[in-house]
Amino acid sequence: MIPTAEVTIGPFFPPRYVDAGANDLTQFEGRKAKGEIIEIHGRVVQEDGAPLENLIVEIWQADAQGVFRHPADPRHAQADPGFFGWGRAATDAQGNYRFTTIRPGAPGGRAAHVNFMVMFSGLLRILKTTMFFEDGQDPVLQAVAHLRRRLLIGKKEKNTLVFDIRLRGENETPFFDD
């Protein structure tokens, strides 16, 4: 018998899947977002440390007052009109991604955080994780084993946070189910 070829599960993203500027959340429909402008960047790597190119990273977050622009947030009508709260970036050949956004406020009962979603050809499911600004009292962060929480804390460098994502292996980023 002749073995069949390996089949990779989609989605398959064309090289230009991400629109220019989709990684800048600091303005929406010609209005500037309120709050402290920050940059979030990092690398996405495999178990062996090899970078993943053209991986899609999406983020969504609350505005500077902790309000999500989504009907599930009871305060969504009060959301900053200059802040959409969602962005998308593709990784480059070294696995790097970058977002310009604002530091989110803490939504009710939660610490300030940014939600991440990772999509790549060959992944059987969308991976979801959360970046926190510091270790603190948050129910999602507290659900992660103490020794692994550091993997969910962005490393601060002035107005920049570095948040690397490892898909497997030692120091794998904790991912969450729906």
Side-chain angles (χ1 to χ4, degrees), residues 119-178:
M119 298 173 283
F120 189 66
S121 298
L123 288 178
L124 297 176
R125 64 184 176 96
I126 294 171
L127 301 176
K128 297 174 187 157
T129 192
T130 303
M131 181 196 81
F132 293 91
F133 290 79
E134 57 192 29
D135 197 350
Q137 295 301 311
D138 184 277
V140 172
L141 188 58
Q142 296 299 312
V144 175
H146 182 70
L147 292 176
R148 296 186 43 76
R149 288 182 197 158
R150 66 179 172 72
L151 301 170
L152 296 175
I153 310 294
K155 294 166 191 67
K156 188 167 169 94
E157 298 174 354
K158 298 184 183 177
N159 280 356
T160 300
L161 285 121
V162 179
F163 187 65
D164 294 328
I165 299 172
R166 181 175 292 270
L167 298 188
R168 292 186 57 184
E170 187 177 344
N171 293 320
E172 174 184 328
T173 301
F175 296 103
F176 303 103
D177 293 330
D178 290 337

Side-chain angles (χ1 to χ4, degrees), residues 94-114:
Q94 290 75 43
N96 296 307
Y97 70 88
R98 182 174 309 276
F99 290 96
T100 303
T101 186
I102 53 102
R103 183 180 173 95
R110 301 286 313 271
H113 64 279
V114 176

Side-chain angles (χ1 to χ4, degrees), residues 25-28 31-35 37 80-84 102:
L25 287 72
T26 61
Q27 57 184 344
F28 177 59
R31 293 180 294 251
K32 295 214 179 277
K34 298 173 187 162
I37 295 177
D80 177 357
F83 186 69
F84 188 56
I102 53 102

